[in-house]
Amino acid sequence: MTSAAERAVLEEEFKWLLQEEVHAVLKQLQDILKEASHRFALPASGSGGAVKQENFVLSTLGTDQVKGVLTLQGDALCQADVNLKMPRNNQLLHFAFREDKQWKLQQIQDARNHVNQAIYLLMNRDVNYQFKTGSEVLKLMDAVMLQLSRARNRLTTPATLTLPEIASSGLTKMFTPALPPDVLVNFYINLNKLCLTVYQLHVLQPSTTKNFRPSGGSILHNPGAMFEFGNQRYEVSHVHKVECVVPWLNDALVFFTVSLQLCQQLKDKISVFSSYWNYRPY
């Protein structure tokens, strides 16, 4: 039990926390998340708000089967120039995006949308808003943390796709010259990296003695994976994965982590007071 004097002191401290410190933390969170949001659409200098184009060289240690340069503009791949060395005959294939095509990276788009939703939640509680109870703060922090966790997860967890889904995606129609029928490609974000996976296929003849087992969804399919598409059965013969680091994605992930920590620290402070008196902030 706490004495009346102790309780009065604690109530004053809690009132100060609700009226002053909470708003200071909310302002800090807004500043960090606005900076994170800006990372997703870096403006080009002197372009009147246009998003800057950035070129990235694809590479992987120990292989030169696939080389390329990607041009990223915000959440869109506006150019991809790829060279593929075919293992069977060392034939060199070159393909690039058609000039009228861009490929939207849904992961980046979704992550930015979640960040902006978190900012919206914070701005709805401006400095003039008076928090009456700790539960209000906890609910707000939970809502903000949910958006930030979703933003982070979109960058750290690429979508699992089946091979028929990759084969039927609009990405296959982006290139000139057109991709050969025995090549599939997929772009995705993994943490702070932009990744390209190239699958080389061979047709499974009706006379094959192999037991056909269609593969399920996966981020990265392995050689030997089988699928059916367009009344034809295929098997993956070779898989090539190349990647490039996108520095501003790393910045965004750091901002997400720092913001989540700030939210949790504020929740912990609110919860500490709940252990001292009967009306708990839950």
Side-chain angles (χ1 to χ4, degrees):
M1 295 289 293
T2 57
S3 68
E6 289 173 330
R7 185 183 178 92
V9 169
L10 288 171
E11 287 180 347
E12 281 301 310
E13 288 182 359
F14 189 56
K15 186 178 178 181
W16 179 86
L17 176 65
L18 291 180
Q19 294 180 354
E20 303 294 335
E21 186 169 355
V22 167
H23 282 294
V25 173
L26 297 190
K27 175 65 167 60
Q28 191 177 1
L29 284 168
Q30 279 191 52
D31 291 344
I32 294 171
L33 294 181
K34 284 177 181 177
E35 195 64 37
S37 181
H38 293 158
R39 288 294 194 277
F40 288 94
L42 295 172
S45 56
S47 60
V51 179
K52 182 173 69 173
Q53 291 188 356
E54 302 171 281
N55 292 328
F56 298 99
V57 177
L58 293 163
S59 64
T60 293
L61 290 175
T63 180
D64 62 350
Q65 296 294 132
V66 178
K67 294 181 178 180
V69 177
L70 304 181
T71 304
L72 187 61
Q73 187 172 25
D75 60 7
L77 269 178
C78 55
Q79 187 51 265
D81 194 289
V82 180
N83 291 311
L84 169 63
K85 187 187 293 183
M86 303 293 279
R88 289 189 294 274
N89 52 17
N90 277 336
Q91 177 189 4
L92 189 64
L93 299 181
H94 173 262
F95 41 92
F97 277 3
R98 289 163 42 184
E99 290 186 3
D100 61 333
K101 295 290 185 180
Q102 285 191 342
W103 183 251
K104 284 287 186 180
L105 291 163
Q106 193 65 44
Q107 288 173 265
I108 292 179
Q109 199 170 55
D110 289 348
R112 188 184 184 197
N113 288 341
H114 287 305
V115 172
N116 288 341
Q117 184 61 33
I119 294 171
Y120 173 78
L121 290 168
L122 293 167
M123 291 181 69
N124 270 351
R125 297 290 184 265
D126 63 18
V127 291
N128 297 317
Y129 183 84
Q130 292 294 319
F131 288 96
K132 300 293 193 298
T133 65
S135 63
E136 277 188 279
V137 181
L138 293 178
K139 287 177 182 176
L140 176 60
M141 290 299 94
D142 284 340
V144 170
M145 291 175 79
L146 177 63
Q147 295 301 325
L148 293 179
S149 295
R150 287 176 173 172
R152 184 172 63 182
N153 288 344
R154 287 302 285 133
L155 300 181
T156 59
T157 310
T160 58
L161 298 173
T162 65
L163 288 163
E165 285 173 336
I166 295 173
S168 61
S169 79
L171 186 56
T172 59
K173 301 175 180 65
M174 297 279 293
F175 293 96
T176 179
L179 293 177
D182 60 348
V183 172
L184 293 180
V185 299
N186 187 33
F187 291 104
Y188 60 90
I189 299 295
N190 188 12
L191 293 166
N192 63 337
K193 294 177 181 177
L194 174 55
C195 305
L196 165 64
T197 304
V198 179
Y199 297 101
Q200 291 178 249
L201 317 171
H202 69 254
V203 174
L204 287 172
Q205 300 299 331
S207 58
T208 182
T209 58
K210 287 188 175 182
N211 183 22
F212 180 71
R213 297 185 306 278
S215 300
S218 180
I219 296 170
L220 182 66
H221 294 270
N222 295 318
M226 300 177 184
F227 70 103
E228 187 169 353
F229 184 72
N231 297 319
Q232 182 67 63
R233 290 180 171 181
Y234 297 92
E235 182 178 17
V236 175
S237 58
H238 297 84
V239 180
H240 311 289
K241 180 186 172 186
V242 286
E243 58 192 27
C244 53
V245 173
V246 180
W248 58 262
L249 282 177
N250 191 67
D251 293 345
L253 288 165
V254 171
F255 289 141
F256 296 164
T257 299
V258 171
S259 298
L260 284 164
Q261 288 172 345
L262 282 172
C263 290
Q264 188 59 53
Q265 287 167 4
L266 184 55
K267 284 183 65 177
D268 291 344
K269 285 185 178 181
I270 295 289
S271 299
V272 164
F273 282 93
S274 72
S275 63
Y276 285 103
W277 48 58
N278 294 329
Y279 81 93
R280 294 173 179 270
Y282 298 103

